[in-house]
């Protein structure tokens, strides 16, 4: 029987207009453009402004972009999986809100939360529905409004993150293209290094938690850095080895955009040269679930049918993983 793979057949993206530069951050906190660029590679990030504007606003635009490019109507989508760490609300799922706003009336949907690894976790979850034949058109959207959980008095964390969204469409392929392999990992003991202290069921919101600024991202940067460098590089090298891929066989590395130094370390471990590595962290910072699809969105016109692509991610939890994709189309 012919094996069915889930192939990405379209990519959409959206970043908000407002640009928060390092120069503006210098006016808000004790930092410098030089420090931020040297430690992270980030020059600016996008911020979603406006009362009542949640993650879904960006996701809907990314999905609309995707549907237009593929030339299909929202009613044709059967399932939407939204990877996000900053849902519009605790419930209902942001996927439901996206389906409503984007007119995907025949789809069911749910959210996946695996912090910065959420997009590849969601992508591989979605792939199962295609591989089993259950669905023919599945949207995976990665979105985060990280500015909604940033303490702009915390210079070690707030300089890193930005807002944005990317989306991909998955459809069945029987010619050997699409998502071919994945290595996905979690280690919950890492939660102490990167989390949001309050607002969940263990520590619901109170006046005290708000006053203590416990609804923002808490991060022990050095520990996160250490784990990220090792784990993202390990799974990327492992997925190449078990699929018999050398660096020459890899057309593109699509790394999570957390820190330019982490990206460089992963590429070095894979022995993949810099021109094959998608990097947009200087423009967008770390958009959490948005980074990987935003890279695919920006590089789409350079991708060719048959390209071997490795996605790699690391995030809070800890969560991490890699995915091997044989790209399915040339952009017209
Ligand atoms: N501007 C200027 N100085 C800053 C600063 C800023 N924005 N943020 C921190 N500093 C200072 C610290 O206070 C410290 O000063 P001290 O030596 O006087 O105590 C010094 O810079 C070094 O801080 P440290 O936290 O050790 O820096 P670092 O080299 O580890 O870089 C990060 C900090 C956050 C950039 C880095 O640890 C990192 O990228 N970690 C991974 C984060 C990540 O990827 N998270 C997402 C995972 S998906």
């Amino acid at each position: 029987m012919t094996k069915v793979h889930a192939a990405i057949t379209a990519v959409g993206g959206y970043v908000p207009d407002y640009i928060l530069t390092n120069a503006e951050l210098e006016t808000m906190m004790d930092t410098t453009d030089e420090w931020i660029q040297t430690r992270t590679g980030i020059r600016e990030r996008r911020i979603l402004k406006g009362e009542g504007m949640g993650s879904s606003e960006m996701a809907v635009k990314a999905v609309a972009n995707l549907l237009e490019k593929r030339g299909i109507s929202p009613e044709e989508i059967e399932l939407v999986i939204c990877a996000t760490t900053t849902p519009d609300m605790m419930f209902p799922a942001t996927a439901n809100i996206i389906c409503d706003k984007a007119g995907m009336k025949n789809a069911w949907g749910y959210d996946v939360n695996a912090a910065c690894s959420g997009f590849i976790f969601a992508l591989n979850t979605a792939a199962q529905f295609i591989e089993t034949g259950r669905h023919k058109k599945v949207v995976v959207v990665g979105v985060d409004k990280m500015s909604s959980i940033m303490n702009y008095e915390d210079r070690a964390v707030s300089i890193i993150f930005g807002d944005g969204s990317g989306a991909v469409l998955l459809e069945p392929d029987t010619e050997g293209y699409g998502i071919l392999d994945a290595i996905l990992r979690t280690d919950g003991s890492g939660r102490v290094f990167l989390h949001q202290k309050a607002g969940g069921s263990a520590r619901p919101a109170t006046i005290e938690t708000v006053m203590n600024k416990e609804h923002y991202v808490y991060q022990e940067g050095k520990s996160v850095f250490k784990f990220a460098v090792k784990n993202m590089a390990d799974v990327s090298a492992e997925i190449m080895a078990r699929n018999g891929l050398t660096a020459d066989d890899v057309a593109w590395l699509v790394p999570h955009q957390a820190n330019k130094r982490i990206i460089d370390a992963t590429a070095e471990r894979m022995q993949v040269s810099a021109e094959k590595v998608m990097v947009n962290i200087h423009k967008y910072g770390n958009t959490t679930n948005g980074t990987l699809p935003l890279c695919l969105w920006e590089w789409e016109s350079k991708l060719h049918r048959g390209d071997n692509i490795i996605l790699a991610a690391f995030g809070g939890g800890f969560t991490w993983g890699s995915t091997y994709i044989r790209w399915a189309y040339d952009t017209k």
Side-chain angles (χ1 to χ4, degrees), residues 31 35 39 116 155-156 219 221-222 224-225 256 258-259 286 314:
T31 192
W35 193 96
R39 302 286 172 128
C116 293
R155 65 179 183 168
Q219 173 174 274
K222 268 201 192 317
V224 176
F225 187 91
H256 172 51
N259 183 312
N286 182 350
F314 181 86

Side-chain angles (χ1 to χ4, degrees), residues 25 29-36 38-40 42 115-117 154-161 193-194 217 219-226 228 232 256-262 281 286 288 313-316 318-319:
L25 287 174
M29 61 187 76
D30 182 15
T31 192
T32 61
D33 173 49
E34 200 263 332
W35 193 96
I36 298 172
T38 312
R39 302 286 172 128
T40 69
I42 301 168
C116 293
S117 306
D154 183 348
R155 65 179 183 168
V157 179
S158 58
I159 51 132
I160 296 173
F161 293 94
F193 302 112
L194 183 53
V217 171
Q219 173 174 274
E220 293 177 26
K222 268 201 192 317
S223 305
V224 176
F225 187 91
K226 243 175 27 203
M232 207 162 100
H256 172 51
Q257 310 282 305
N259 183 312
K260 179 66 164 60
R261 290 183 291 149
I262 299 173
I281 190 171
N286 182 350
T288 301
F314 181 86
F318 289 131
T319 54

Side-chain angles (χ1 to χ4, degrees), residues 110-179:
Y110 58 91
D111 291 357
V112 164
N113 180 357
C116 293
S117 306
F119 182 77
I120 59 169
F121 280 33
L123 187 69
N124 284 287
T125 307
Q128 312 303 310
F129 290 95
I130 299 283
E131 289 170 10
T132 58
R134 177 66 61 90
H135 291 309
K136 299 272 187 283
K137 285 188 171 52
V138 179
V139 166
V140 182
V141 53
V143 62
D144 271 299
K145 183 185 172 187
M146 293 306 290
S147 61
S148 66
I149 52 170
M150 276 308 117
N151 174 5
Y152 286 99
E153 289 168 4
D154 183 348
R155 65 179 183 168
V157 179
S158 58
I159 51 132
I160 296 173
F161 293 94
D163 304 339
S165 178
V168 300
L169 178 67
L170 293 183
E171 296 183 78
D173 179 283
T174 52
E175 295 174 42
Y177 299 91
I179 297 166

